[in-house]
Amino acid sequence: MIVKIALSARALLRRAVWGRNRDRIRATWRILFGFGVVLGVLLGGRRLLGRVDFPDVLVNGPVALLVCVAVGAYALAASLIPGERPIREYGFSFDRRWALDALAAVVAGCVFQALVTGMLLASGSGRVVETFAPGAASGGGPVAVAIAVAATAVAFAAIGLWEEPLFRGVFIVNASEGLAARGLEPRRAVWATVGASALAFGPAHALVAAQGASPLFAAVQATAAAVYFAVAYVFTGSLAFPVGLHFATNVWVVSVFGQAGSGFPALVRLERSVGAGPIDLLSLVIQSLVLLGLIVAWVLATRGQVSTDESLRDAIERRRGSAAAE
């Protein structure tokens, strides 16, 4: 009896992890595996870096080093998991098109953030309190400011290079495969997963609301951001556009029109007061629709049509109906 129970428990565990098809683990575990490895390295490494006395002028530049280690650890670990795709297949190609998508995203992100800032100033929700603020580079001269700006830019590029592969690449592709494996049509699977990724990404940002923004507004804003990041990923099949948007957004709100009292160098500092009233949320919707329009325009100009990327759709179609493996 004990032997039968042990064998049954082992079979149940195998089914929970692998399904009937042993060529790859289930989609849920592939997603959790990616987040576990990257976040584990980032959180553990951050504790170690906290013991090192870095010059203030580097602001959060050392984050870039942690991201390289975390993403590298995931790429290595994923190569050891049966059936797991290489990280490049989630949308890292680094060719000419990738570079152009990333550059266009930075431009679109700056246009979008300029609109956001303009509406803040016009509505009185934002007020300029300082210009040419050196932040942590104060008293160090032009060279120190240049180092602080470069360190800030590198750090925010690194943040985009871990959040987008996980929340857009790993999450959307694997969750879509899981839904398609249960018979859902690939396009519907993708868009259902886009909604799920927004819910996973957005509310968590209520815990890290920017200065002057209410937690509810921060959560709604991050959810909207998750939607347009995901739309850019689904329409292009590449991480270039969402990474570029993420980078432009962070750099703008930190170093172009930064937060009052921040240690980051900033061209202008704004004191913000943003709640979650109807006007605030309506402004957010308008801004997001403008950015979605820019994304669609770029996709139409470079791909000729606006639809779920073919490579992404084909990858999901191959898993359709194979629920035993997912």
Side-chain angles (χ1 to χ4, degrees):
M1 177 65 72
I2 295 176
V3 173
K4 288 183 178 180
I5 293 175
L7 289 174
S8 298
R10 185 179 300 175
L12 184 62
L13 179 61
R14 283 200 301 266
R15 181 67 187 277
V17 176
W18 298 95
R20 294 174 184 169
N21 189 335
R22 302 292 184 82
D23 67 342
R24 67 202 315 230
I25 62 175
R26 291 180 180 272
T28 300
W29 300 117
R30 295 199 300 274
I31 294 170
L32 293 177
F33 172 77
F35 277 85
V37 171
V38 174
L39 292 178
V41 173
L42 289 177
L43 294 175
R46 186 164 186 171
R47 294 191 66 173
L48 291 176
L49 287 183
R51 301 175 183 176
V52 180
D53 188 19
F54 289 101
D56 291 342
V57 73
L58 292 180
V59 284
N60 68 343
V63 168
L65 177 61
L66 276 183
V67 169
C68 290
V69 174
V71 174
Y74 171 70
L76 176 62
S79 69
L80 303 176
I81 300 296
E84 179 59 292
R85 55 174 51 82
I87 193 170
R88 66 176 180 275
E89 292 187 13
Y90 285 113
F92 281 122
S93 59
F94 298 114
D95 54 14
R96 184 173 179 274
R97 168 173 276 190
W98 206 96
L100 287 175
D101 280 348
L103 180 60
V106 171
V107 173
C110 288
V111 170
F112 167 64
Q113 289 300 328
L115 172 63
V116 172
T117 303
M119 293 181 76
L120 282 174
L121 293 172
S123 66
S125 298
R127 182 173 65 89
V128 175
V129 294
E130 191 177 359
T131 57
F132 301 106
S138 180
V143 173
V145 171
I147 292 173
V149 169
T152 300
V154 169
F156 283 125
I159 288 172
L161 287 170
W162 81 259
E163 288 196 354
E164 294 311 307
L166 285 183
F167 282 100
R168 259 53 72 179
V170 172
F171 190 101
I172 288 178
V173 173
N174 287 298
S176 297
E177 284 185 346
L179 292 175
R182 286 163 173 76
L184 193 62
E185 193 273 329
R187 284 189 180 86
R188 292 183 179 179
V190 169
W191 291 109
T193 305
V194 166
S197 72
L199 293 177
F201 183 81
H205 283 69
L207 302 175
V208 288
Q211 169 263 333
S214 70
L216 178 57
F217 181 84
V220 174
Q221 185 178 50
T223 302
V227 170
Y228 50 71
F229 290 157
V231 166
Y233 178 65
V234 169
F235 284 164
T236 63
S238 168
L239 289 167
F241 213 101
V243 166
L245 279 178
H246 208 137
F247 170 77
T249 297
N250 285 339
V251 170
W252 184 283
V253 300
V254 165
S255 287
V256 180
F257 281 83
Q259 299 173 19
S262 169
F264 293 102
L267 184 64
V268 175
R269 292 204 191 283
L270 282 183
E271 190 175 72
R272 297 169 171 84
S273 178
V274 185
I279 300 301
D280 299 313
L281 297 179
L282 178 61
S283 297
L284 179 58
V285 169
I286 293 172
Q287 297 154 11
S288 299
L289 289 175
V290 169
L291 182 53
L292 286 171
L294 293 175
I295 293 170
V296 167
W298 177 255
V299 172
L300 191 60
T302 56
R303 272 76 173 175
Q305 62 178 356
V306 179
S307 64
T308 305
D309 180 74
E310 185 177 354
S311 63
L312 181 62
R313 191 172 61 247
D314 288 348
I316 296 166
E317 179 68 46
R318 288 195 294 271
R319 309 305 300 180
R320 190 178 184 188
S322 58
E326 300 298 336

